[in-house]
Amino acid sequence: MSGVDVIIPTYRIPVGDLSKCIDSVLAQTLKPTTIRVLDATPVSDTDYSKLRAMIDSKVGVQYVRQTGKGLSQARNQAIEMGSSTYIALLDGDDWWYPHHLERLVDMAENS
């Protein structure tokens, strides 16, 4: 199976929701090559420091700060940074079942 870069753009997502999102990616049966959180939350936001501390505590998660460009530009920036065969986008307030990536890659490669 080929590698997958997971991109999680976020903007003012509650810390608990983003933590659940990241944990669902870390629990995948097909481990992603890269997990990259693109944060567009304003530094002045009161939850910014909590958000950054939570992301920093997750092993294997890259944090990229982006301000003033919006979520679409954050997704594009992360895609340009990627190097895997596949890219999977996951909004910061969503989550996946444990076999999600494995099934997606299997369908892409065997259909």
Side-chain angles (χ1 to χ4, degrees):
M1 285 199 175
S2 300
V4 180
D5 286 344
V6 175
I7 299 168
I8 305 171
T10 182
Y11 178 82
R12 290 189 169 149
I13 301 293
V15 175
D17 291 350
L18 184 58
S19 181
K20 181 178 180 179
C21 171
I22 293 170
D23 288 345
S24 79
V25 176
L26 292 170
Q28 291 297 298
T29 54
L30 174 63
K31 300 300 179 198
T33 307
T34 303
I35 304 168
R36 196 171 286 120
V37 175
L38 276 288
D39 182 17
T41 302
V43 175
S44 60
D45 194 294
T46 55
D47 282 341
Y48 169 76
S49 61
K50 293 177 189 175
L51 177 78
R52 180 65 198 261
M54 182 277 296
I55 293 170
D56 288 346
S57 74
K58 305 286 185 181
V59 175
V61 179
Q62 295 178 6
Y63 176 84
V64 178
R65 182 89 186 110
Q66 185 191 53
T67 58
K69 296 180 183 174
L71 292 178
S72 295
Q73 181 58 33
R75 287 181 186 96
N76 291 338
Q77 179 183 350
I79 289 168
E80 290 173 8
M81 295 169 69
S83 60
S84 295
T85 303
Y86 299 106
I87 295 170
L89 299 170
L90 177 61
D91 289 337
D93 59 351
D94 208 349
W95 55 273
W96 288 332
Y97 287 107
H99 289 54
H100 182 79
L101 287 180
E102 182 179 358
R103 289 179 179 162
L104 285 178
V105 171
D106 183 57
M107 286 186 341
E109 293 185 346
N110 296 306
S111 62

